[in-house]
Amino acid sequence: MRSTRLALLGSGLLLVAACSTGGGGTPAPATSTATSTATSPATAGVPATAAAQIPAVVCVGEATTYLDWLNGEFEPDVQDPVEEPADTAGDLLETVQENGVLRISVDKDYAPQSYQESDGSWVGFDIDVGKEIAERLGVEAEFQHQDWDIITAGNWAGRWDISVGSMTITTPRKDILSFTQPYYYTPAYMAASTRSGITTLDQLPFTVPDDVEATTLPTDANCIEQIAAGRPEFDLLITSGTVIDEATNSDQPIVKIGEPIYVEDLAVAIDKSGPAHEALLYEIDQAIGEMHSDGTLTALSEQWFDGADLTQDPGE
């Protein structure tokens, strides 16, 4: 098992690194409390009045590891060994091959990983990964949007076959979902609104996560939407560095601050409560291994993430 990675962020902020994201829907804030204690000013480089106006609130997507981390409940884990089953009779793989379609749940508003164009077409890194997996299984890929909290809860009731949604492997999720090997790795970062004037962690008049509350929206992208709408209570958010980079490249009013909080190990998931799927899991895991070896994943990463290869395990 890969050892836990540590990063020291700013002044007195020790963050544990290890192995989510996602969701979609209309912004409708609902708060979830992490902890809230006395603040300790650290406002170098920003006017005291501006620093004092920064609320001790961090916006994150629902059912994400970012929320778990803020609440002290983040339990990163690694993939269990995937072994080839003796036969495929009655397996979900057999059903997928008979139907000629692999039904994949994704997020329609999670650029650059996955999003839906105005004409209904699907684009993004996860979309291309899903298409490649389907092609290597000899079937067509069919995508559908599902809210992140529904996907991560399991009990899919056969509505889709797999999730290719940049899902982090965690211990609680492994109780209800089967995971392939990771197909890529992304750093989780904190970001601030440009309106706030915050550009470094030591400018915050409180420490994270000890002195903040978490405000959740259906998806991380909704946090950015609220910042763009000028909502000061959403001055801070945590999400994937890839999402922040996409937002800044699109002239959204946010800035990445600090160093990575932790690294997300992102994998394909299948619902354990559904049909037997040992053969399908094995074939997809093999396909991902081949995509690592033949450079397919590297090429897709460089295409979608500004030339960066995020497919290499930073723990190795």
Side-chain angles (χ1 to χ4, degrees), residues 131-242:
K131 288 179 179 177
E132 185 68 25
I133 290 171
E135 181 176 338
R136 295 188 185 216
L137 292 178
V139 299
E140 295 293 322
E142 177 183 282
F143 297 98
Q144 58 177 278
H145 167 78
Q146 294 292 337
D147 289 344
W148 188 244
D149 57 344
I150 294 175
I151 297 172
T152 55
N155 294 311
W156 299 348
R159 290 168 289 175
W160 60 92
D161 302 315
I162 68 172
S163 166
V164 184
S166 298
M167 189 184 296
T168 302
I169 304 172
T170 70
T171 301
R173 288 176 180 171
K174 283 172 63 176
D175 288 338
I176 57 177
L177 301 169
S178 301
F179 288 98
T180 65
Q181 62 184 284
Y183 58 98
Y184 79 122
Y185 310 82
T186 60
Y189 275 92
M190 180 171 286
S193 67
T194 53
R195 184 209 67 81
S196 71
I198 296 295
T199 57
T200 64
L201 286 166
D202 60 7
Q203 292 173 315
L204 295 175
F206 43 77
T207 60
V208 183
D210 294 335
D211 301 333
V212 301
E213 292 183 346
T215 291
T216 62
L217 294 177
T219 178
D220 317 346
N222 298 142
C223 297
I224 298 172
E225 291 169 359
Q226 294 304 304
I227 288 175
R231 298 278 298 277
E233 65 268 41
F234 296 98
D235 274 330
L236 300 173
L237 73 146
I238 295 176
T239 186
S240 166
T242 59

Side-chain angles (χ1 to χ4, degrees), residues 265-291:
D265 292 15
L266 309 171
V268 174
I270 305 179
D271 180 20
K272 284 185 174 180
S273 72
H277 56 268
E278 289 80 4
L280 179 61
L281 183 69
Y282 176 79
E283 291 299 329
I284 294 176
D285 187 71
Q286 290 292 110
I288 291 172
E290 293 168 359
M291 292 160 66

